[in-house]
Amino acid sequence: MPETIAAARSTAAQAAELLDETLAGAEANDRADLIRRLHRARETLRLSRNTDQEVAAVRAAGEETDRALASLGTDLRYRRAALADPTRANRLRAELARTRTQSEHERALAREWPQLLADGFAALVSDAEFAVRTAARGVLAESDAALAATDPRKDRARLDAQLRERLVTEADRAHGQARDTVAELTARLDRHLELGTPLEVPVLPMTAPTTLVDGLAPPPVASDRGAMPVGARLSRIVMPSYGGIMMSLVLTRVFHVAMPLWVLITGAVTAALLLGGSAVAAERKRSLDRRRQEARAGTRAVVEEFQIVLVKQLRDASRTAQTTLRRAAGAAVTAREKATTTRLEGVRRSVDELRDANRAIRAVDDDLASVAELRGRARRLADGSG
């Protein structure tokens, strides 16, 4: 009985040793599936030591080892056939040349894309500023035309609402143009870099047009600064009337014209009314022109503030989008360059192996012989013959 136990223990030790050797071969060939199965078999064998299931576990370990070695043998034979293939050398050298050309092409693209990105966003900012300034001039021209056809004192609220609605439209148009330009620039960068996965179009962080316009300061309130005092304005009206009366009286005296009193009074009153009415009309026109000038200055102040705020917003959004796109493109280029370098190194190693193809074939033959010897041991364990 002790001899039987000792023999079982010796067989279990052999099975464990065989599993370790096969596991080393699976790891050398990077066979993750075989590694998992061999680990599982080794753990089962360990848990069954000194139990009734030990003999069955040894046989199972032998069978599992035999299957793993058969799979490794197939890999080795495939590798030997590839090493002995007479056309393999030409294929590897052609692949090496293609990979080198691709690597050089990618490096050239990587040198050029930062300048392409910088020029694109510089053009974006320049075009956006030009569009905003042109739109501001158009808004001012429309506002001047509207002021020339109305009295700002009566229609101030309506004119301000129209102005702000127009500014919202222009801000929305500027935002849309900026977004379209960034999307077009991203597509151009994709085409230049020849990326397999398109870059994501960066989002422009911009305030909504309505919020932007609502944040503008209201037009300055019309002040009395520059307006004539009431007394001076009255004198401008009274003096022409007084002059008309005096002219009527003086002319009759100078030319010694004898006229009835009622005619003289009628002429004086008529002259006073004509000259006074003309003075009143002139004063009203001067007041209207002053109000329009003040309204025009207030509108210009609002439009200038709108222009400054919108241009700054577009610049900040463009800078943020440029940074985001630069990081994304840089990461994509770096990942592709790393993958190409890895592939180039692998092909170069395969080409270098061509010089020692005979030695590599002999090494594979030795491995196949080792696998055959290990399979023999595994089958004996699986048959229970130790």
Side-chain angles (χ1 to χ4, degrees):
M1 185 69 177
E3 293 178 356
T4 304
I5 296 174
R9 289 177 179 174
S10 175
T11 304
Q14 292 177 18
E17 181 181 357
L18 184 60
L19 280 171
D20 291 339
E21 293 179 4
T22 307
L23 184 59
E27 291 174 347
N29 287 273
D30 197 21
R31 290 293 302 273
D33 55 334
L34 298 182
I35 293 172
R36 287 193 299 270
R37 287 159 49 187
L38 292 170
H39 273 299
R40 203 159 46 239
R42 190 171 61 176
E43 183 66 14
T44 302
L45 181 62
R46 185 185 66 82
L47 295 175
S48 65
R49 297 294 291 271
N50 302 323
T51 65
D52 295 338
Q53 289 80 24
E54 183 172 356
V55 175
V58 169
R59 290 181 178 178
E63 293 173 354
E64 188 64 46
T65 305
D66 184 47
R67 285 192 294 269
L69 289 169
S71 181
L72 290 175
T74 300
D75 292 345
L76 289 171
R77 284 189 292 273
Y78 176 80
R79 184 179 178 189
R80 190 187 188 286
L83 289 172
D85 185 2
T87 63
R88 180 171 177 266
N90 294 333
R91 289 201 307 270
L92 287 176
R93 291 190 179 95
E95 185 179 357
L96 179 61
R98 286 195 303 270
T99 308
R100 282 176 175 170
T101 302
Q102 180 67 21
S103 178
E104 292 172 358
H105 178 64
E106 290 174 358
R107 289 196 188 97
L109 296 179
R111 287 192 298 268
E112 297 171 0
W113 75 264
Q115 187 62 40
L116 175 66
L117 184 68
D119 292 344
F121 274 97
L124 184 154
V125 173
S126 176
D127 293 344
E129 290 187 11
F130 178 77
V132 171
R133 295 180 190 280
T134 302
R137 286 195 294 270
V139 170
L140 287 175
E142 292 180 6
S143 178
D144 289 346
L147 285 172
T150 187
D151 186 350
R153 183 170 58 187
K154 299 177 181 178
D155 296 332
R156 186 65 176 173
R158 181 179 62 83
L159 292 174
D160 185 63
Q162 290 180 350
L163 172 64
R164 291 180 179 272
E165 183 179 355
R166 185 77 165 80
L167 293 179
V168 169
T169 302
E170 293 301 332
D172 186 62
R173 181 182 291 111
H175 288 184
Q177 290 176 350
R179 285 190 291 267
D180 293 343
T181 304
V182 170
E184 180 182 353
L185 180 58
T186 304
R188 191 189 314 162
L189 193 61
D190 282 333
R191 292 192 298 270
H192 174 79
L193 292 176
E194 300 174 2
L195 296 174
T197 303
L199 295 170
E200 184 178 354
V201 179
V203 178
L204 293 176
M206 295 183 292
T207 307
T210 305
T211 305
L212 184 149
V213 174
D214 289 343
L216 300 177
V221 180
S223 63
D224 293 334
R225 187 175 57 183
M228 296 183 64
V230 177
R233 290 202 300 272
L234 288 176
S235 67
R236 281 192 173 189
I237 298 172
V238 172
M239 289 303 295
S241 301
Y242 176 74
I245 295 173
M246 294 305 298
M247 262 178 28
S248 300
L249 296 176
V250 170
L251 287 176
T252 56
R253 297 294 184 182
V254 170
F255 293 104
H256 304 285
V257 177
M259 299 181 67
L261 180 60
W262 67 270
V263 174
L264 185 61
I265 294 174
T266 302
V269 171
T270 302
L273 290 176
L274 290 174
L275 293 177
S278 176
V280 169
E283 182 60 26
R284 286 179 178 175
K285 185 178 184 305
R286 279 193 294 269
S287 299
L288 179 59
D289 290 341
R290 186 182 69 254
R291 289 194 298 272
R292 286 174 175 169
Q293 188 64 31
E294 290 176 350
R296 189 176 294 109
T299 300
R300 186 173 298 276
V302 173
V303 173
E304 287 179 354
E305 183 183 2
F306 165 79
Q307 180 177 320
I308 293 172
V309 173
L310 182 56
V311 167
K312 183 181 185 306
Q313 184 185 101
L314 291 171
R315 285 180 178 176
D316 294 343
S318 172
R319 190 180 304 112
T320 302
Q322 183 177 3
T323 301
T324 302
L325 193 55
R326 184 190 299 112
R327 289 175 180 172
V333 168
T334 300
R336 184 178 64 181
E337 183 178 354
K338 184 177 179 181
T340 303
T341 302
T342 302
R343 186 169 67 254
L344 181 61
E345 291 176 353
V347 177
R348 188 181 289 117
R349 282 195 301 269
S350 299
V351 171
D352 292 340
E353 289 177 358
L354 292 174
R355 302 169 186 171
D356 300 327
N358 293 330
R359 183 184 303 174
I361 291 174
R362 287 195 297 272
V364 172
D365 289 339
D366 294 340
D367 289 341
L368 284 171
S370 177
V371 166
E373 189 271 332
L374 292 174
R375 287 195 70 184
R377 291 167 53 188
R379 287 170 180 170
R380 287 193 295 271
L381 288 174
D383 293 341
S385 57

